[in-house]
Amino acid sequence: MLWSRTSSIRRPAIASRHCDVTARFFSCYSATAIYMPTRQLPKRSISHNTTWPVTSEKSVLQKLKKVNRKKKRDTDDETKKSNILFLEIQDAVKSYNDMKNTRIDLSQLQNPIQLIGQFMFSRSRPQAIIESLDIIYQTSEGDGIGFVPKSLYASPFLEDDEDLFNKFTAIVVPKTIIGDKVKIRLNMHHEFYSEGVLLEVLNADSRKTARKDKLIVCNNFDKCSGCQFQMLSYDNQLKAKRETILKAYRFFYPDLLSQKDLSDFGHVHGCDQQYAYRTKLTPHYRIPKEHKNETLRIGLNNVDPSRPIVDIDDCAIATSSINGKLKEKREEISAEVGRAPLESQGRQRTLLLRESIRMNKETGDHKRVCLTDGVKVITEKVDDYIFQFDPSSFFQNNNVILPQVLDYIKYHIQLGEHKYKYLVDTYCGVGLFGIALSKEISKEGKIFGIELSEKSIEFATHNAKLNGLAVPDRIQFIPGTADSMFKHENFSKSGIQGEDSIVIMDPSRKGSTESFIKQLLEFKPKLIVYVSCNVFTQARDLSVFNDLQKNSSTKYKVREIVGFDFFPQTKHVETVAVLELIDSPT
């Protein structure tokens, strides 16, 4: 039954011409709704004939465009986050139809502009509570998806009830997993879904869900956006991440899935340390304004975008040295409150907390410390190699699992009888892979790397010398884009030949480019190792590579694709794809 709240008394909402349709849905949808006006509209009671102020269509579309604009680290093609979610919603619809024996489609999920407008602005947003929602799908962002009929909650916000007939809302709820039955509050609406805020898990002790809340170690887990899976056993976390890998290839390279044995495709190697592993943390804060009664908060973003930063004293996945420094910085910043000039009050700032090795040059003894100065050089040790870099440079934030990744790549280099003479490290950063894999290349061979950041190249060259590698005879790093690498004068002079080469690809989340992939195919390396922090762009790139090689005499086969869990308790998974040149294509 649809309920309305007019004061402290709940009563059935005024009957509409679609009540019979709604009633039929209730036998297959586990959901009820309560409506409560916001504090800004205390005199309004919600009934079927009550409508909220309508925001103009133009302003709604402008606001929606602003909210959904591409983030700095996001891609601008079919692998952008908004499109991934759109594909996942389609996936969820199929799952729901199979589960409930229904036939809903995307057209039935589209939210009217008027409804989007009513839930657009946090200050005037009505509180619509869905008392019970079944989570039936898991997104790659670690959120759950469930469905409810729009007639369950939307009639007070629409002028024409015809818009509700046989229409549904897909609700994306952070901190939920498949099998959960949850109570949620509806938040901002988008074109094909609504954001949901988790209020309560109704079946936390049920065997129908893999949830085990007793596993949660962080007091802020329900609010903080840093972790998604603390309520899951570690085995189930790895299974969820493997599903993300399979999903990425199903979306962007389905032909590969039809070729490969799926029994081990996308297997995720776990990390021996599931907490206290992260060597970098960037909490945010604002100095409170003097004329406002604000509280100092230092922490990470809230899963509810309309809520302020989550105040954290320590982070369960960060190392002990980082948490110790966070406490120190909290005391320093607290002392600053009240003394800060007006122009700096209210402005968001970011702390940089990065772990580093501090070494006694005379004794060789070392300890791990946390640095906060953006100028000081970070020192890290991976296997027998030392790496130094500035805090702004990219370097993996989990040193526990990094040696395992290197061992995996070494295994594939050593597989078979071929001896490699050259290693080409594209997107080389500060030289991690080129240097750490240098012993796998014959002594008369050479390692060559390229990176866009000139500062990173300076550190890569420094790191090569630090680890006893001759520069430039044995190893050479140059600034530039990977797209121009194979045409670079220094590369041409190096004498590196594809048939005796390994190419390491480790691009940013945006992945590689078709231009680079074409040159890679022309270069014909014997082995390609593609390390990725975004499996969706990796799947896209390998699909492009496959399409290009269809018109080429050069043929590669995918030897293996696996995952590595660099970030336990979170949604993230790193993937490594190994491609091998086929000597005699058939």
Side-chain angles (χ1 to χ4, degrees):
M1 183 176 289
L2 182 63
W3 294 94
S4 172
R5 182 164 181 159
T6 55
S7 58
S8 61
I9 301 173
R10 293 182 187 174
R11 61 177 177 79
I14 298 173
S16 75
R17 56 185 175 277
H18 294 313
C19 275
D20 58 332
V21 176
T22 302
R24 289 202 303 272
F25 286 140
F26 278 24
S27 62
C28 60
Y29 291 90
S30 177
T32 55
I34 299 174
Y35 304 116
M36 293 177 287
T38 63
R39 289 177 296 175
Q40 285 73 21
L41 299 167
K43 296 182 180 179
R44 284 184 181 269
S45 61
I46 302 178
S47 69
H48 178 75
N49 294 324
T50 302
T51 58
W52 296 80
V54 179
T55 308
S56 72
E57 180 174 333
K58 182 178 179 181
S59 66
V60 169
L61 292 175
Q62 287 176 340
K63 175 68 174 177
L64 198 61
K65 184 178 180 180
K66 183 178 179 181
V67 169
N68 292 328
R69 66 186 175 189
K70 186 175 79 73
K71 304 298 188 292
K72 183 178 179 180
R73 297 176 62 195
D74 201 4
T75 61
D76 55 6
D77 64 358
E78 70 272 17
T79 62
K80 61 184 177 181
K81 285 186 177 181
S82 59
N83 190 60
I84 299 296
L85 180 56
F86 181 72
L87 295 174
E88 289 178 320
I89 289 172
Q90 293 183 72
D91 239 9
V93 168
K94 293 176 185 176
S95 297
Y96 195 83
N97 284 338
D98 291 342
M99 185 184 303
K100 298 293 185 180
N101 194 26
T102 56
R103 293 184 178 179
I104 66 174
D105 58 35
L106 279 176
S107 65
Q108 293 166 270
L109 294 181
Q110 194 162 16
N111 290 316
I113 290 292
Q114 187 181 4
L115 185 62
I116 295 173
Q118 303 292 354
F119 284 84
M120 177 70 71
F121 304 104
S122 58
R123 291 185 179 181
S124 59
R125 182 178 298 143
Q127 290 197 55
I129 308 297
I130 305 298
E131 287 286 324
S132 180
L133 174 70
D134 290 327
I135 301 298
I136 58 97
Y137 187 88
Q138 200 81 51
T139 74
S140 56
E141 292 293 306
D143 304 328
I145 295 180
F147 296 90
V148 296
K150 277 190 170 55
S151 55
L152 190 67
Y153 73 94
S155 57
F157 316 119
L158 296 175
E159 294 177 340
D160 187 356
D161 281 347
E162 291 291 341
D163 286 339
L164 299 180
F165 179 71
N166 204 25
K167 298 295 178 65
F168 305 81
T169 300
I171 307 175
V172 179
V173 189
K175 308 292 184 176
T176 61
I177 58 173
I178 294 173
D180 281 351
K181 187 183 293 290
V182 296
K183 177 181 178 179
I184 62 106
R185 171 170 52 83
L186 288 176
N187 214 342
M188 186 172 179
H189 282 51
H190 301 260
E191 186 176 5
F192 288 101
Y193 72 97
S194 166
E195 299 170 4
V197 178
L198 178 64
L199 301 179
E200 182 183 355
V201 180
L202 305 174
N203 66 335
D205 298 324
S206 172
R207 293 184 179 180
K208 292 183 179 180
T209 173
R211 174 183 289 272
K212 289 183 172 58
D213 283 345
K214 64 182 180 181
L215 296 175
I216 298 173
V217 303
C218 178
N219 293 331
N220 293 310
F221 173 72
D222 60 331
K223 302 185 291 291
C224 178
S225 61
C227 294
Q228 291 75 41
F229 290 143
Q230 284 189 26
M231 82 294 271
L232 279 179
S233 69
Y234 194 51
D235 283 345
N236 281 327
Q237 289 186 37
L238 297 181
K239 288 177 183 177
K241 295 182 182 190
R242 180 173 185 253
E243 286 301 316
T244 294
I245 296 173
L246 290 170
K247 182 189 299 181
Y249 279 87
R250 181 159 47 84
F251 285 170
F252 297 111
Y253 192 2
D255 288 349
L256 182 62
L257 295 184
S258 65
Q259 301 167 18
K260 301 291 291 183
D261 176 11
L262 296 184
S263 61
D264 202 42
F265 185 95
H267 169 76
V268 180
H269 296 269
C271 181
D272 293 336
Q273 190 171 316
Q274 286 103 53
Y275 284 97
Y277 62 81
R278 189 177 177 95
T279 58
K280 180 183 177 183
L281 202 66
T282 53
H284 314 298
Y285 70 98
R286 286 185 175 89
I287 298 294
K289 296 181 179 180
E290 289 183 354
H291 63 284
K292 291 187 176 181
N293 186 23
E294 295 178 334
T295 303
L296 174 66
R297 296 172 179 270
I298 304 174
L300 303 178
N301 291 333
N302 200 304
V303 290
D304 180 354
S306 65
R307 304 297 297 168
I309 289 169
V310 179
D311 196 37
I312 59 173
D313 292 317
D314 63 79
C315 175
I317 63 174
T319 62
S320 59
S321 67
I322 285 180
N323 281 321
K325 184 60 71 173
L326 176 59
K327 289 181 174 61
E328 290 181 21
K329 295 301 292 185
R330 176 178 289 278
E331 292 177 2
E332 292 177 15
I333 296 169
S334 296
E336 186 182 347
V337 174
R339 300 201 309 261
L342 288 175
E343 60 269 18
S344 67
Q345 295 176 15
R347 182 166 54 88
Q348 180 163 302
R349 306 177 184 182
T350 299
L351 280 175
L352 174 62
L353 306 175
R354 193 148 198 176
E355 191 172 81
S356 177
I357 292 174
R358 179 175 290 170
M359 187 174 295
N360 186 314
K361 295 180 180 179
E362 295 180 0
T363 65
D365 294 336
H366 62 274
K367 62 179 180 179
R368 304 197 73 85
V369 299
C370 179
L371 302 180
T372 60
D373 192 327
V375 178
K376 290 182 179 178
V377 172
I378 307 296
T379 301
E380 278 292 359
K381 186 174 184 292
V382 181
D383 283 344
D384 296 328
Y385 299 94
I386 299 294
F387 296 90
Q388 292 188 321
F389 48 92
D390 69 308
S392 63
S393 295
F394 172 78
F395 200 86
Q396 291 289 357
N397 297 327
N398 183 344
N399 295 334
V400 177
I401 199 172
L402 198 49
Q404 190 177 340
V405 177
L406 293 171
D407 287 343
Y408 175 81
I409 297 174
K410 290 175 186 177
Y411 165 78
H412 280 280
I413 291 174
Q414 296 165 6
L415 197 62
E417 299 179 356
H418 193 91
K419 302 300 180 184
Y420 295 97
K421 191 175 180 181
Y422 307 110
L423 189 148
V424 181
D425 189 2
T426 61
Y427 314 93
C428 69
V430 297
L432 170 65
F433 287 112
I435 293 170
L437 297 172
S438 58
K439 291 182 180 178
E440 305 305 311
I441 305 301
S442 62
K443 291 182 179 180
E444 66 274 13
K446 185 169 184 175
I447 298 116
F448 195 97
I450 192 167
E451 167 64 43
L452 186 61
S453 167
E454 293 190 12
K455 189 70 173 177
S456 293
I457 288 297
E458 290 177 13
F459 274 104
T461 303
H462 166 75
N463 289 330
K465 295 175 181 178
L466 192 64
N467 288 282
L469 297 172
V471 178
D473 297 333
R474 172 66 171 164
I475 189 167
Q476 183 178 8
F477 295 105
I478 62 170
T481 65
D483 285 5
S484 64
M485 176 172 180
F486 297 107
K487 300 175 183 178
H488 199 283
E489 181 181 2
N490 289 350
F491 186 79
S492 300
K493 291 179 179 179
S494 68
I496 296 176
Q497 301 297 317
E499 60 266 23
D500 292 320
S501 295
I502 306 160
V503 170
I504 305 289
M505 297 173 59
D506 186 15
S508 68
R509 291 188 60 81
K510 294 182 180 181
S512 190
T513 64
E514 185 171 340
S515 173
F516 173 80
I517 294 170
K518 284 180 179 178
Q519 294 176 58
L520 181 64
L521 193 60
E522 294 169 358
F523 181 61
K524 301 179 185 178
K526 178 65 177 175
L527 197 69
I528 301 171
V529 179
Y530 188 157
V531 182
S532 175
C533 59
N534 184 348
V535 65
F536 292 97
T537 53
Q538 183 191 60
R540 176 205 65 197
D541 291 344
L542 293 189
S543 178
V544 170
F545 187 87
N546 185 59
D547 289 341
L548 291 172
Q549 74 171 352
K550 288 177 181 178
N551 299 318
S552 170
S553 59
T554 306
K555 303 296 179 184
Y556 284 83
K557 69 175 181 180
V558 176
R559 187 188 283 179
E560 197 168 46
I561 293 176
V562 299
F564 287 90
D565 192 18
F566 272 77
F567 300 101
Q569 317 309 326
T570 78
K571 63 191 177 184
H572 301 289
V573 60
E574 300 262 335
T575 48
V576 180
V578 182
L579 285 72
E580 180 183 19
L581 181 67
I582 301 174
D583 291 326
S584 301
T586 57

